[in-house]
């Protein structure tokens, strides 16, 4: 597909309305179903911002990590690097820092249900390696503290979906090539995990079904944002983030 065809396709499927550059992110996005995890806080315990603090034009903002772009109103999520070269904080089970939204209402859902969908419209403006821009996570840490699936974007513009081979901690992840979008170019993704089928679509193209191996449909939740997988700073701008069940 030519660049012009891609641009026209993206234009036709983009549903975003005008974003207000003078509002906090909660004034432009429905964040009532999310809580925010920041790359700061106490060791193994990153700061979290609840949905009630995120909402509204005067809601929570952080100039370094979670803010509104003054030029176009997009939601800017920034991670300064990793624990080796910055003072960022990660969770107990991860070496990587993040500025990421975690679905909180509902707190989890059944992958066998008829509808579980995460839609994002975004552009990656800074990354020298790989970042995760959307994921599905197992709800029960007693079962697994690893994601069910992660959508990765690298510096070359490659999009890959990593899917766990099972829902236990000792299982590895299998990567699948999904698409390619040049860095700095705006694009959309949609991740579905419904009727026990995992699939992904980029820029409104046909959904690619992904093998879920031995996962067996564990209770899950969505995450979206900037989950840095490297040591250098990363920045992501979102124009839409939507979930539906």
């Amino acid at each position: 597909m030519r660049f012009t065809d891609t641009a026209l396709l993206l234009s036709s499927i983009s549903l975003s309305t005008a974003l207000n550059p003078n509002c906090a992110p909660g004034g432009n996005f429905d964040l009532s179903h999310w809580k925010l995890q920041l790359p700061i806080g106490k060791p193994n315990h990153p700061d979290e911002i609840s949905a009630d603090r995120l909402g509204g034009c005067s809601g929570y903002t952080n100039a370094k990590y979670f803010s509104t772009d003054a030029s176009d109103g997009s939601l800017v999520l920034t991670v300064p690097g990793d624990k080796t070269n910055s003072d960022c904080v990660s969770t107990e089970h991860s070496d990587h820092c993040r500025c990421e939204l975690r679905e909180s209402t509902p707190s989890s859902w059944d992958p066998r249900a008829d509808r579980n969908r995460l839609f994002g419209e975004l552009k990656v403006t800074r990354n020298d390696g790989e970042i995760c821009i959307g994921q599905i996570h197992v709800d029960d840490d007693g079962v697994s503290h690893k994601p069910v699936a992660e959508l990765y974007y690298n510096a070359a513009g490659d999009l890959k979906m990593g899917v766990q081979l099972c829902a236990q901690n000792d299982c590895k992840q299998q990567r699948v090539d999904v698409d390619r979008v040049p860095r700095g170019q705006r694009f959309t993704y949609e991740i579905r995990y419904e009727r026990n089928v995992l699939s992904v679509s980029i820029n409104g193209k046909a959904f690619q079904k992904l093998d879920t191996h031995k996962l067996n449909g564990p209770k899950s939740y969505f995450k979206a944002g900037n989950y840095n997988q490297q040591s250098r700073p990363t920045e992501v701008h979102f124009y839409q983030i939507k979930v539906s069940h």
Side-chain angles (χ1 to χ4, degrees):
M1 183 178 288
R2 297 171 300 174
F3 172 78
T4 52
D5 295 331
T6 304
L8 287 171
L9 175 62
L10 181 55
S11 174
S12 68
I13 64 175
S14 176
L15 303 175
S16 57
T17 57
L19 301 174
N20 185 349
N22 298 312
C23 273
N28 290 316
F29 298 82
D30 180 7
L31 301 181
S32 61
H33 305 287
W34 302 93
K35 65 179 178 180
L36 172 67
Q37 182 179 312
L38 292 163
I40 54 176
K42 298 179 181 179
N44 297 328
H45 297 283
D47 288 346
E48 292 185 344
I49 308 299
S50 60
D52 59 329
R53 293 179 59 195
L54 292 174
C57 190
S58 58
Y60 177 83
T61 187
N62 184 306
K64 286 186 175 181
Y65 310 113
F66 182 80
S67 62
T68 298
D69 188 304
S71 65
D72 61 13
S74 60
L75 166 56
V76 183
L77 301 109
T78 305
V79 178
D82 67 13
K83 292 185 288 186
T84 68
N85 60 10
S86 74
D87 58 358
C88 75
V89 173
S90 68
T91 57
E92 179 182 358
H93 300 295
S94 177
D95 294 326
H96 307 298
C97 301
R98 72 189 85 193
C99 187
E100 190 177 40
L101 293 164
R102 190 262 201 220
E103 194 176 15
S104 57
T105 309
S107 60
S108 67
W109 37 262
D110 187 347
R112 296 175 177 82
D114 289 338
R115 190 179 185 93
N116 299 303
R117 302 178 182 182
L118 168 64
F119 177 86
E121 181 180 357
L122 68 152
K123 66 180 178 182
V124 177
T125 59
R126 188 177 186 185
N127 71 312
D128 296 314
E130 196 169 58
I131 57 175
C132 173
I133 54 176
Q135 63 171 297
I136 300 169
H137 206 285
V138 178
D139 181 48
D140 188 353
D141 275 349
V143 174
S144 175
H145 52 69
K146 292 186 176 181
V148 169
E150 294 175 284
L151 180 59
Y152 298 104
Y153 182 88
N154 67 23
D158 299 315
L159 286 150
K160 298 176 184 288
M161 197 75 161
V163 184
Q164 288 295 113
L165 298 178
C166 73
Q168 282 74 48
N169 289 322
D170 58 352
C171 275
K172 295 183 178 180
Q173 190 180 85
Q174 184 175 86
R175 300 286 186 95
V176 178
D177 291 326
V178 174
D179 209 326
R180 187 176 186 279
V181 176
R183 184 166 63 176
Q185 182 175 308
R186 194 160 152 177
F187 66 98
T188 69
Y189 71 75
E190 185 170 344
I191 300 171
R192 297 181 179 181
Y193 195 14
E194 53 196 31
R195 300 180 182 179
N196 210 23
V197 174
L198 176 64
S199 61
V200 62
S201 168
I202 305 299
N203 281 338
K205 298 175 186 175
F207 277 84
Q208 180 176 346
K209 183 180 176 180
L210 301 162
D211 190 347
T212 51
H213 311 287
K214 297 180 180 180
L215 278 170
N216 294 324
K219 288 282 189 178
S220 301
Y221 56 85
F222 286 121
K223 303 184 82 174
N226 179 354
Y227 182 19
N228 195 346
Q229 304 293 299
Q230 59 177 18
S231 61
R232 302 289 295 277
T234 51
E235 185 171 290
V236 180
H237 292 228
F238 273 88
Y239 297 86
Q240 294 188 79
I241 302 176
K242 297 180 180 180
V243 289
S244 56
H245 297 289

